Amino acid sequence: MNDINKSPSKKVTSPHLSVVIPVYKAESILDELYQRLKVTLETISTDFEIILVEDCGGDKSWQVIEQLAAADPRVCGIQFSRNFGQHYGITAGLDHCHGEWVVVMDCDLQDRPEEIPRLYAKAQEGYDVVLAWRGSRRHPLLKRITSWLFYRLFSYLTDINFDGRSGSFRIMSRNVVANFCLMRERLRFFGGLVHWMGFPTASIEVKHSERFEGKSSYTYSKLCRLAFESIIAFSDKPLRLAVRFGFLMAFLAFCYGLFILIRAIMYGVPIPGWSSLIISLYFIGGIIIAILGIVGVYLGKTFDETKKRPLYIIRKKIVPPKNLPI
């Protein structure tokens, strides 16, 4: 097998365009998604591949992917051994794609396939990354508010001016994808990693559609966890803020103690006793525990990184012959 791979007569075909889509509980959407993608992509080039990464949603999405791949060799399928999450699905798709240009999008059809030619055309102006900027989002009001708050907080803590109006939907050059695949940290935030690389980037406003069917699998608890882990992955500012807060508390405590002492000496005001002491102890104790918790989270994530476990595990893979050595 190794001799075959090393043979100079063997080569891997490279399609002009790849589309990477993480799939989760989308069995009723995939046929419509494929048909619209096929029609749209063929206006750019017939030389494309569609990589569908099934994230073990528990429905029949994988069976649908198998049917699509059997009917069209340009469809590739990857199924995880368990649910790993959207950003790991994107990572797996990027690891296995071959296109000169790569589109990443969601499977729920809120990212409209019909916008891909516009992204591609903008990229041809000399940009390595073109973001799809959602001018009018179709998410519920509460989700839009919490999303705005997260990106404001994320930008402040990471010192990265990240525009939350763009989701995963974008087109990237092969150079961007190759460098993205070099970053193997376990805490994955796709948009942040691409932004961090600093390649020439543009954005265009696109229409954001309603979900084709069903509702988002992202609960608010999952979104909060993703937000927390993304901040931990990209910034140590919470640690530095904790240090500053600790010095601020020490300074205020010193000033207050000095004030009490001077008042007692000059005016004979008795020093407050048991109640104020206990309240102060509980308050300072809570602050200390919170700061230790922040430090503990960073240590825990560092421990996870040292394990060097794979980011994802593939159970099944459908790779058409055109993407295999020939």
Side-chain angles (χ1 to χ4, degrees), residues 44-100:
I44 303 174
S45 171
T46 57
D47 187 17
F48 64 82
E49 64 179 356
I50 301 172
I51 300 179
L52 302 171
V53 184
E54 205 273 312
D55 198 18
C56 290
D59 62 353
K60 297 181 180 179
S61 293
W62 180 248
Q63 288 85 335
V64 177
I65 293 173
E66 289 179 319
Q67 295 170 7
L68 293 174
D72 188 342
R74 295 173 296 187
V75 177
C76 310
I78 296 173
Q79 185 185 41
F80 284 161
S81 61
R82 63 168 177 85
N83 178 254
F84 282 88
Q86 177 189 19
H87 295 267
Y88 295 90
I90 293 174
T91 300
L94 295 178
D95 285 342
H96 290 81
C97 71
H98 303 90
E100 298 174 29

Side-chain angles (χ1 to χ4, degrees), residues 242-284:
V243 172
R244 294 178 186 177
F245 185 73
F247 278 112
L248 176 62
M249 291 299 300
F251 175 74
L252 292 177
F254 174 78
C255 292
Y256 181 63
L258 188 62
F259 168 74
I260 291 176
L261 181 62
I262 292 175
R263 191 174 62 165
I265 294 174
M266 296 184 63
Y267 303 103
V269 178
I271 298 176
W274 176 260
S275 299
S276 60
L277 178 61
I278 290 299
I279 292 174
S280 299
L281 287 175
Y282 274 111
F283 179 74
I284 298 299

